[in-house]
Amino acid sequence: MSVTRLKDKKKKKALMDKFMSGGWQINDTKNKGLVVNADNADGPTIYICDIDSSMLYVVATIKDAVKILEKESTNTKFKFDVICDAVNSLIADLSSSKLKLDGKISNTFATGAVMYLAGTQSYAYMKNIGKANGQFIVLRYRDYANGDYLLRPNPVLSDKMLTPQEVEYQVRMILGNDKLKHPERFKRADIIPFKIKSTCKI
């Protein structure tokens, strides 16, 4: 299932222009896979930040993407930890250039991101306050307590699309809060600031 492709060229251009006017430099992938109706392109936006590589992936989904994906995958019962592991591995492979973000991988990434989001408390919270199609920041960083990489979701209450600077600020706030609550996760005394090196819109 495609959750990011827009059929209407004008709608797609408008979405790209919206990101560009917000200060984003977009590396848009050319995907010749499935398309969706452009009228329902206003779903959850997921900013996935890989702290180690300073890569930021912006997953713009169709309206009610979680509900649609749940309906289409009723026979597929993936456990949440399996979804987390898959998304975590995919981010690692993309950030280290082991995988290229082509059409198939882009769609797999978007679908995995939505499946992951659906199982988080952040999504449940936003759904409860009527913002299921809102914005979310997901951090991927190393937990030095066990050596693994974790995914850390966070809801964004603003309806306005975040600029790159706002994403960086939010990431610093989330990392700072995590260090206060879970100091064992962090190796250094100071948190290394997250500076976006490259951005991919999916």
Side-chain angles (χ1 to χ4, degrees), residues 101-119:
L101 198 58
D102 59 16
K104 184 178 179 181
I105 296 298
S106 175
N107 196 53
T108 300
F109 189 12
T111 304
V114 172
M115 291 175 73
Y116 162 76
L117 183 67

Side-chain angles (χ1 to χ4, degrees), residues 8 11 45 50 72-73 88-89 91 93 107 118 135 148 156 169 172-173 184 194:
D8 187 322
K11 186 83 173 184
T45 299
D50 183 48
E72 291 194 4
S73 61
N88 210 334
S89 294
I91 296 169
D93 288 345
N107 196 53
Q135 301 185 96
D148 293 333
V156 177
Y169 174 78
R172 284 196 299 272
M173 295 290 287
E184 72 281 359
F194 177 70

Side-chain angles (χ1 to χ4, degrees), residues 170-182:
Q170 293 259 6
V171 169
R172 284 196 299 272
M173 295 290 287
I174 297 166
L175 286 172
N177 188 50
D178 282 5
K179 185 169 184 185
L180 286 174
K181 292 182 177 179
H182 303 283

Side-chain angles (χ1 to χ4, degrees), residues 10-35:
K10 288 183 180 179
K11 186 83 173 184
K12 182 172 183 177
K13 184 180 183 304
L15 182 64
M16 296 301 290
D17 288 346
K18 182 179 177 183
F19 275 97
M20 294 293 281
S21 65
W24 297 96
Q25 293 180 350
I26 302 298
N27 294 328
D28 191 30
T29 58
K30 296 189 181 299
N31 187 344
K32 296 182 180 178
L34 298 173
V35 295

Side-chain angles (χ1 to χ4, degrees), residues 44-48 66 69-70 78-85 87-88 91 111-129 131-140 150-156:
T45 299
I46 312 168
Y47 304 87
I48 299 178
V66 172
L69 193 59
E70 286 175 343
F78 291 108
K79 291 185 179 179
F80 185 65
D81 58 343
V82 173
I83 295 169
C84 287
D85 288 346
V87 173
N88 210 334
I91 296 169
T111 304
V114 172
M115 291 175 73
Y116 162 76
L117 183 67
T120 64
Q121 291 181 357
S122 292
Y123 179 76
Y125 169 75
M126 292 289 270
K127 186 178 178 182
N128 285 340
I129 64 170
K131 293 195 172 202
N133 291 307
Q135 301 185 96
F136 303 84
I137 291 177
V138 177
L139 307 188
R140 178 184 180 269
L150 59 81
L151 297 177
R152 166 72 163 91
N154 199 70
V156 177

